[in-house]
């Protein structure tokens, strides 16, 4: 998300664990952060939409969702989830996408890069896809450090969840 800040040391230990129902209130609060939402070009979810979505995530075998633990504290989440997209031939195709969210007070401490590096070997699917707002340079660096390559840029119209912006698409694996 943001560059490392001199007064915020990198995490000594980053690990992943399954997201537990008890994590949901804290993860909900993390996704409300206005600066993070502006950077990611998203509109935060209300609890009424967030809680059932996350309950589905926790029980959906097609989704791999992990809590990111930095030096013993919950600092965010990372997931791999299916999404139907148009392929080059214009046909619907299920693809696997990566997403992550780090609490702003932990930006620049290496949590996202290390969490993604830990998650990738756990996933059997290839290729993996990611999409970020072109202004989110820190997230671009996270993905590229872990082997994602830019495959394109496009204008994305606004929706009920996403703000209008230019997006960068990335891919990992063949």
């Amino acid at each position: 998300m943001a560059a490392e800040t001199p007064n915020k040391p990198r995490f000594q230990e980053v690990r992943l664990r399954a997201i537990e129902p008890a994590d949901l209130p804290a993860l909900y609060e993390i996704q409300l952060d206005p600066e993070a939402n502006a950077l990611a070009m998203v509109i935060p979810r209300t609890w009424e939409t967030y809680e059932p979505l996350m309950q589905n995530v926790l029980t959906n075998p097609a989704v791999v969702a992990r809590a990111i633990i930095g030096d013993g504290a919950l600092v965010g989440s990372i997931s791999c989830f299916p999404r139907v997209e148009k392929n080059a031939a214009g046909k619907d195709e299920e693809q696997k996408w990566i997403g992550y969210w780090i609490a702003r007070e932990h930006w620049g401490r290496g949590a996202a890069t290390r969490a993604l590096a830990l998650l990738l070997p756990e996933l059997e699917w290839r290729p993996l896809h990611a999409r970020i707002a072109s202004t989110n340079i820190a997230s671009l660096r996270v993905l590229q450090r872990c082997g994602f390559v830019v495959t394109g840029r496009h204008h994305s119209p606004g929706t009920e969840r996403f703000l209008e912006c230019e997006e960068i698409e990335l891919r990992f694996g063949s």
Side-chain angles (χ1 to χ4, degrees):
M1 298 249 173
E4 184 174 354
T5 341
N7 57 354
K8 290 187 179 178
R10 295 183 74 72
F11 284 108
Q12 296 298 307
E13 177 193 36
V14 173
R15 64 182 177 83
L16 303 179
R17 67 161 168 75
I19 294 175
E20 301 166 355
D23 296 328
L24 297 184
L27 293 174
Y28 171 74
E29 290 298 320
I30 290 170
Q31 69 91 43
L32 288 177
D33 183 85
E35 191 173 332
N37 282 287
L39 188 60
M41 301 295 285
V42 300
I43 299 165
R45 291 182 168 97
T46 64
W47 179 254
E48 292 74 27
T49 58
Y50 181 84
E51 196 269 338
L53 170 78
M54 289 304 295
Q55 290 297 336
N56 182 53
V57 163
L58 297 180
T59 59
N60 186 339
V63 176
V64 176
R66 300 289 181 257
I68 302 171
I69 309 299
D71 293 343
L74 176 66
V75 300
S77 63
I78 188 167
S79 61
C80 180
F81 51 92
R83 198 166 148 173
V84 175
E85 297 281 327
K86 298 279 184 205
N87 63 20
K91 297 189 179 196
D92 286 347
E93 172 182 83
E94 185 178 276
Q95 300 174 344
K96 299 294 185 174
W97 288 76
I98 294 288
Y100 47 87
W101 200 268
I102 306 295
R104 182 166 31 123
E105 63 268 23
H106 299 295
W107 289 359
R109 300 184 62 198
T113 301
R114 289 164 71 191
L116 183 54
L118 289 169
L119 184 65
L120 288 173
E122 187 179 332
L123 304 173
E124 60 188 53
W125 310 290
R126 297 295 184 270
L128 298 171
H129 302 271
R131 187 179 293 150
I132 59 166
S134 63
T135 54
N136 194 343
I137 302 304
S139 194
L140 176 62
R141 284 194 302 258
V142 166
L143 291 159
Q144 289 179 319
R145 283 181 185 136
C146 291
F148 281 75
V149 296
V150 173
T151 58
R153 289 176 177 258
H154 73 275
H155 176 272
S156 180
T159 67
E160 71 283 345
R161 174 73 173 135
F162 299 99
L163 300 174
E164 178 179 1
C165 68
E166 179 186 52
E167 290 184 321
I168 299 172
E169 292 187 15
L170 300 101
R171 184 176 171 148
F172 178 86
S174 51

